[in-house]
Amino acid sequence: GLVKVETSYMLRSKGTSTRIPCRTVYQISPTGEIVLDNECYYTPALPPPARIGLELAVPGALQRLCWFGRGPHESYPDRLGVAVGQYEERVDDTFVKYIVPQENGNKCETRWAALVGDDGCGLMVSAGAPGETFNVSAHRFKAMDLQKARHCKEVMQRHDVTVTIDHRHTATGGNTSWTRAQMPQFLIPKGTYSYSIRLSPIMSTAAIARPEPLAPPLAARASKFKPPGVLSAMWHRMMWDASLAIGHSPILLVETILEVTSSSVTVPVVWAVVSVGAVFALRTLQRSRAA
């Protein structure tokens, strides 16, 4: 029968105080179809993100990208000058070789996309809820490979195909030749984001078509995601700022104890006061060690 797995986790950036709480619910059917319900809370303390979505790797043999959305050229929220239709392209041809390697090859307002091999077998990606669209791209490199290269010939080509499936994607910017600034209406604002992605196996090219609507219970979304409160966000920021200066182990120990006991209404006020004392004590300890 249907298998359902729910996981809650925190996205962290190494060496910084960045924390993004997330939750993903996996619903796996006996046919091999997987529906992912993703939710995350993007705190206002962070700058606007480049994208909100997921990245996965598929075998390099899946070299044909078929999609129904904007095309055949790349498109972005501020670059929608291409028509909606059904298109096909080789993965190697999706790489737009700018003078300086950079983000490229995105397909906006995609209804469904398929990556298949020469035998017609592969993976179908579609929105998990009716009326939703997404951004998709497929390359033989990762974003970090672009950042490391100064010229297109230096971009490392991987054996696997990296697929990005984004619920939201920022604009390319560059409306003027002297700045890369983006227009405010195309920036991704703070808040809670919820979206569903449906992954289906394909056994032949005849299956490359609009997927049938999801049947219950796969169509049911998870319960509403509850982002952390203001005091909790302040606490995490203060703890991680202190951990950068003092060392992670003592801070994480205090943080774990307080998080376990912070379920009541009055406790947040208590641990807000305790946190100030904990940071002060640990910084005093750091100064004494330095002396």
Side-chain angles (χ1 to χ4, degrees):
L2 179 69
V3 176
K4 183 177 180 180
V5 179
E6 180 174 338
T7 175
S8 297
Y9 51 96
M10 192 80 70
L11 294 179
R12 300 180 180 181
S13 178
K14 186 177 180 180
T16 71
S17 59
T18 300
R19 279 186 156 196
I20 303 176
C22 304
R23 183 178 66 173
T24 299
V25 179
Y26 301 87
Q27 299 181 76
I28 308 169
S29 70
T31 62
E33 186 171 76
I34 302 175
V35 175
L36 292 84
D37 287 326
N38 294 319
E39 293 178 293
C40 68
Y41 173 70
Y42 199 80
T43 172
L46 300 175
R51 65 210 319 162
I52 293 178
L54 58 91
E55 177 183 287
L56 53 90
V58 299
L62 306 184
Q63 53 189 332
R64 293 172 52 199
L65 173 64
C66 309
W67 76 96
F68 189 91
R70 297 254 179 200
H73 310 298
E74 66 176 7
S75 57
Y76 289 86
D78 59 341
R79 301 288 189 272
L80 295 177
V82 288
V84 174
Q86 183 171 336
Y87 304 96
E88 180 175 338
E89 191 174 20
R90 305 285 289 190
V91 170
D92 292 336
D93 296 333
T94 63
F95 183 16
V96 182
K97 298 182 179 179
Y98 292 102
I99 296 177
V100 178
Q102 56 192 279
E103 163 66 31
N104 67 91
N106 184 67
K107 319 295 183 185
C108 278
E109 299 181 8
T110 303
R111 279 68 167 174
W112 57 261
L115 277 160
V116 297
D118 293 333
D119 58 357
C121 297
L123 178 70
M124 169 72 76
V125 181
S126 58
E132 288 187 353
T133 62
F134 55 93
N135 299 270
V136 66
S137 67
H139 295 296
R140 294 194 182 275
F141 49 79
K142 294 178 175 290
M144 66 180 69
D145 300 327
L146 291 175
Q147 295 177 1
K148 295 177 180 178
R150 297 182 61 186
H151 306 282
C152 291
K153 65 180 181 180
E154 298 174 355
V155 178
M156 183 177 67
Q157 298 294 304
R158 299 176 180 265
H159 295 294
D160 293 337
V161 175
T162 300
V163 184
T164 58
I165 308 166
D166 295 319
H167 171 60
R168 295 289 298 272
H169 201 296
T170 193
T172 57
N175 295 338
T176 59
S177 60
W178 57 86
T179 177
R180 293 179 294 177
Q182 300 159 323
M183 300 180 71
Q185 63 266 34
F186 296 116
L187 296 177
I188 301 176
K190 64 182 180 181
T192 301
Y193 290 90
S194 175
Y195 61 97
S196 296
I197 297 296
R198 178 183 179 186
L199 306 176
S200 310
I202 296 177
M203 304 309 296
S204 68
T205 54
I208 302 177
R210 180 180 179 180
E212 295 294 328
L214 284 172
L218 284 174
R221 279 185 179 268
S223 58
K224 185 64 178 177
F225 177 73
K226 295 181 179 180
V230 175
L231 286 178
S232 179
M234 292 173 61
W235 159 257
H236 290 312
R237 183 59 183 263
M238 182 162 34
M239 286 287 98
W240 275 93
D241 286 344
S243 69
L244 294 179
I246 302 172
H248 292 281
S249 298
I251 294 293
L252 291 179
L253 176 61
V254 177
E255 180 182 9
T256 302
I257 295 173
L258 292 177
E259 282 188 336
V260 169
T261 60
S262 62
S263 58
S264 67
V265 176
T266 57
V267 167
V269 178
V270 176
W271 57 246
V273 175
V274 173
S275 65
V276 176
V279 172
F280 177 79
L282 289 171
R283 285 184 175 173
T284 303
L285 177 62
Q286 182 194 26
R287 294 192 190 98
S288 64
R289 287 178 178 177

